[in-house]
Amino acid sequence: MSTAPHPHSGESAVLSNGAPHHGKTLATEPCRMCEKAGVPCEYRHVDKKRKPASQDHLDLLQNRVAWLEEFIIDLQQSSPSEISSKLRSASFISSSPRAGSSVSRQSPAASSTPRRATNFHVTSDGSLSFHGPTSIYQVMFDGQERPGGAIREAASPVGAFKNADHVLRHFDIDIDDKRIMQALVIFFKWQYPNFMFIYRDAFLRDHFTKRQDSKYWSVSLLLSICALGTLMLPASEQDDFGLRCHDAAETIAMVTDLVNPSITAVQTFLCLAFYEIGAGRLSKGWSFSGIAFRMAQDLGFQKDSKLWVAPDHSVNTREHFEIRRRIYWGCYISDKLISLIFGRPVQLIYSEAEVYELETLPDPPFILPWRSVGFDDDTANQHADISMIPYISEQIKLARIWERMLSLMSSSPNQIHMSVQQQNLNSLNHDLLDWRTRLPEWAVFTVWDPIDKPLKPSIAALHLLYNSARIALNFDEATSPDTDNSSTRAREACVQAATETHSILRRFRNQHGLRNSPLIIVYGVIQAIRTLKAFGTPEELNSLMEAISEIAVTWPLANIVMHQGP
């Protein structure tokens, strides 16, 4: 009895008409086993030119097999009643939401009450504030006409611009100063890909045309952006200008923005949060981020604009819809990054939002000089070379995994059976590896690429986020005294992630300089140092330790954590 060869084997195959086929170029369908497991099949149809399976692909399959083996062993040691219970409660890896799934609901209205305007309360100044079904406003005005004027999107208060003049004079700042322009250019060149809750096009358009009564520009937002931009100024140009921008932005935010929620107020508080975290003032940064996320919820950014109707037609535009979505998803990603840095539960939950996927709107002609590094070639044909939306989409997929990861790691071990805990850890590892193996070609990073191969800062940030999460998820198990298979796999995952972080750092330093590092590099490098101290080589460890001092020039948090602790 003969058996048919595996479609990827190099043996002679038999055609459907019974004739033998002795070559290696027989076109076949994807491997059934990979198709059934729901993972990409990495072998080409032409065997002699096939690409070896990546380590991530092998890890993904090994992780799946190991989890199934452990689950079967656990079932064998259980009573009949326990077996039934465990089978019902098991979260099988193959059925977990894969990281490559849609980043948001294609049709949020299907799972919500469409265009339910009663969820929005009109405040005394005519702007809107979101209120759910248990709100006191629901109780008072359910089924009745509510007092107040037409719903409108809050712009920066008219008095805020005038009041800001006093603050600007106090801190000796002229918003038309050439240093403001220099700081803006640096911010959008280096930091913008990690601050996508700001809609660059609308902000810059209003900055250069209509500042008063703008929905997308304010003095406090301008100054908070400039404070972040000045962090990357050359050492010879450093003075107290950036600090004065920060202090002025914080003053206006606390006096005016806090009591006048708006799009720019949310963006300002989140910029201030990252500035404070980067400076090592963690408690203040955590507080500012909480204000930003709560204000975003207050303004209803978690409800897509297409789900409600505003009589003010100026907010019923495609651009405005996209700006609100960009702010929500930018806040969603930032929430997970900040929670990852602090090791605390997240505030914005994916399943509680009803927001459409991001769209890519055409860039206005004036934007070319303001594009970030790697996106400034206007002749590029590839979509991922001119738009950041594909990168944001991948970050959202990762952030969804972090949300589950942080929820698991924040729960008490006593509340979860050890076998279920291990299943959850394996499931999260599976999803991280699955996200990595499904990356499009433009987002792939490999450690064996030459040091001078162009590396976009946005791709570096994407892989720093991935590797940081891998170490954070596996480190405790990797350092446990147990010598079982799960501990070995955890150690291998941590070492692989640390080695890749080191490779990213070398290429980033060589091509861009660590002065221009994103904030995530601080978290990624410290996680890698943590791993290499336990399992790595002295050469890699020393290289990362030396890099800390360079990164700390921009982000003092790096030195503070390494030498003083939080």
Side-chain angles (χ1 to χ4, degrees):
M1 179 178 179
S2 62
T3 58
H6 186 280
H8 297 316
S9 69
E11 300 175 13
S12 298
V14 179
L15 300 176
S16 57
N17 61 6
H21 178 85
H22 299 288
K24 293 185 178 181
T25 59
L26 177 65
T28 62
E29 294 298 320
C31 167
R32 290 185 178 180
M33 295 302 292
C34 291
E35 187 176 12
K36 184 177 180 181
V39 298
C41 186
E42 297 203 354
Y43 290 91
R44 299 180 179 178
H45 297 320
V46 183
D47 282 22
K48 63 183 178 181
K49 295 183 180 179
R50 73 188 184 192
K51 181 181 178 181
S54 67
Q55 186 60 46
D56 284 334
H57 184 73
L58 295 176
D59 288 345
L60 181 64
L61 297 179
Q62 290 172 353
N63 182 279
R64 176 182 174 83
V65 172
W67 181 87
L68 290 171
E69 288 176 346
E70 291 171 359
F71 186 68
I72 292 170
I73 292 172
D74 184 53
L75 289 179
Q76 290 174 336
Q77 299 172 350
S78 304
S79 65
S81 59
E82 289 176 331
I83 291 175
S84 178
S85 174
K86 290 176 181 178
L87 285 172
R88 284 195 302 271
S89 63
S91 175
F92 290 101
I93 291 176
S94 60
S95 62
S96 62
R98 61 185 180 85
S101 61
S102 175
V103 299
S104 65
R105 296 151 194 79
Q106 290 290 342
S107 181
S111 60
S112 65
T113 305
R115 301 180 180 269
R116 187 175 180 180
T118 53
N119 281 341
F120 290 93
H121 168 67
V122 184
T123 62
S124 58
D125 67 349
S127 60
L128 76 155
S129 178
F130 174 80
H131 290 269
T134 63
S135 164
I136 190 170
Y137 290 108
Q138 287 291 115
V139 174
M140 291 299 295
F141 301 108
D142 196 19
Q144 303 176 32
E145 184 70 23
R146 295 187 179 191
I151 295 176
R152 66 176 177 82
E153 194 76 35
S156 301
V158 176
F161 188 86
K162 296 178 181 178
N163 294 336
D165 290 342
H166 172 73
V167 178
L168 292 172
R169 286 194 299 271
H170 176 78
F171 288 100
D172 190 23
I173 297 172
D174 178 2
I175 58 176
D176 293 313
D177 190 304
K178 65 178 183 180
R179 288 179 294 181
I180 291 286
M181 183 66 71
Q182 183 183 22
L184 284 178
V185 170
I186 293 173
F187 174 84
F188 286 108
K189 182 178 181 180
W190 292 107
Q191 298 211 47
Y192 179 58
N194 305 296
F195 291 84
M196 294 298 286
F197 50 84
I198 296 171
Y199 198 89
R200 176 195 58 197
D201 302 8
F203 170 84
L204 290 173
R205 182 190 64 222
D206 287 3
H207 175 70
F208 291 113
T209 56
K210 53 169 190 176
R211 294 175 182 175
Q212 290 203 31
D213 302 326
S214 169
K215 297 182 178 71
Y216 313 123
W217 182 96
S218 71
V219 176
S220 56
L221 177 57
L222 171 69
L223 295 175
S224 62
I225 288 175
C226 289
L228 287 164
T230 55
L231 294 174
M232 295 180 172
L233 280 172
S236 59
E237 299 178 30
Q238 283 285 347
D239 55 20
D240 68 341
F241 182 70
L243 181 59
R244 285 188 282 126
C245 285
H246 164 268
D247 291 348
E250 182 181 324
T251 301
I252 299 170
M254 296 304 293
V255 173
T256 301
D257 293 343
L258 190 60
V259 293
N260 294 283
S262 66
I263 283 174
T264 57
V266 173
Q267 295 166 328
T268 297
F269 276 111
L270 202 44
C271 284
L272 290 173
F274 279 112
Y275 185 96
E276 298 294 348
I277 292 170
R281 296 185 286 269
L282 300 184
S283 181
K284 194 174 179 182
W286 177 258
S287 300
F288 278 161
S289 70
I291 292 174
F293 300 144
R294 288 299 191 194
M295 190 178 288
Q297 291 175 317
D298 178 39
L299 293 170
F301 289 151
Q302 71 277 20
K303 300 292 182 183
D304 200 280
S305 300
K306 286 190 175 181
L307 302 180
W308 50 271
V309 179
D312 181 359
H313 294 293
S314 69
V315 302
N316 287 338
T317 65
R318 183 184 177 192
E319 181 191 55
H320 187 74
F321 290 165
E322 189 62 16
I323 289 171
R324 286 181 61 95
R325 292 178 194 132
R326 184 78 66 83
I327 293 172
Y328 175 77
W329 288 121
C331 286
Y332 179 82
I333 295 167
S334 299
D335 175 39
K336 308 307 167 292
L337 173 57
I338 292 171
S339 291
L340 200 65
I341 291 173
F342 282 85
R344 294 173 183 171
V346 301
Q347 197 165 326
L348 301 178
I349 308 299
Y350 176 83
S351 61
E352 294 177 0
E354 297 171 308
V355 184
Y356 283 93
E357 292 182 2
L358 294 170
E359 297 181 13
T360 302
L361 301 182
D363 285 345
F366 73 87
I367 281 298
L368 181 58
W370 295 91
R371 285 180 177 168
S372 299
V373 173
F375 299 91
D376 44 8
D377 182 5
D378 203 35
T379 63
N381 294 320
Q382 187 165 292
H383 180 59
D385 287 332
I386 58 176
S387 172
M388 293 184 186
I389 299 303
Y391 298 83
I392 306 176
S393 299
E394 294 300 333
Q395 286 186 34
I396 294 170
K397 295 172 188 176
L398 262 182
R400 292 184 61 188
I401 302 174
W402 300 340
E403 181 183 321
R404 292 174 47 228
M405 184 178 93
L406 288 161
S407 175
L408 175 67
M409 298 179 78
S410 300
S411 59
S412 170
N414 297 329
Q415 297 174 348
I416 305 177
H417 191 279
M418 287 302 295
S419 62
V420 176
Q421 180 87 346
Q422 188 61 51
Q423 293 165 23
N424 290 332
L425 288 172
N426 288 338
S427 176
L428 287 164
N429 269 308
H430 172 275
D431 286 350
L432 283 170
L433 289 165
D434 192 35
W435 172 86
R436 177 65 172 269
T437 58
R438 293 178 186 273
L439 279 176
E441 186 177 353
W442 53 260
V444 171
F445 175 89
T446 53
V447 295
W448 53 81
D449 284 335
I451 195 171
D452 56 350
K453 181 179 179 180
L455 174 65
K456 282 185 185 177
S458 351
I459 291 180
L462 202 60
H463 288 273
L464 285 168
L465 290 167
Y466 164 78
N467 286 299
S468 300
R470 284 277 278 167
I471 296 174
L473 179 64
N474 290 286
F475 189 79
D476 285 347
E477 187 170 7
T479 53
S480 70
D482 299 334
T483 57
D484 55 11
N485 290 336
S486 60
S487 297
T488 301
R489 289 196 305 274
R491 279 192 290 276
E492 291 173 350
C494 289
V495 171
Q496 183 182 349
T499 299
E500 185 162 309
T501 298
H502 179 259
S503 179
I504 294 169
L505 188 77
R506 287 179 64 249
R507 283 176 62 186
F508 195 99
R509 172 196 261 159
N510 178 264
Q511 297 178 31
H512 308 300
L514 295 181
R515 186 62 185 270
N516 299 314
S517 299
L519 179 59
I520 180 57
I521 207 168
V522 178
Y523 185 74
V525 169
I526 289 176
Q527 285 284 18
I529 288 173
R530 180 191 191 197
T531 296
L532 295 175
K533 280 184 176 179
F535 315 113
T537 62
E539 293 78 14
E540 286 182 324
L541 177 60
N542 292 336
S543 175
L544 292 181
M545 293 291 286
E546 291 173 4
I548 285 292
S549 59
E550 296 180 52
I551 297 169
V553 176
T554 301
W555 305 110
L557 173 66
N559 261 341
I560 292 172
V561 172
M562 289 300 299
H563 299 116
Q564 300 176 22

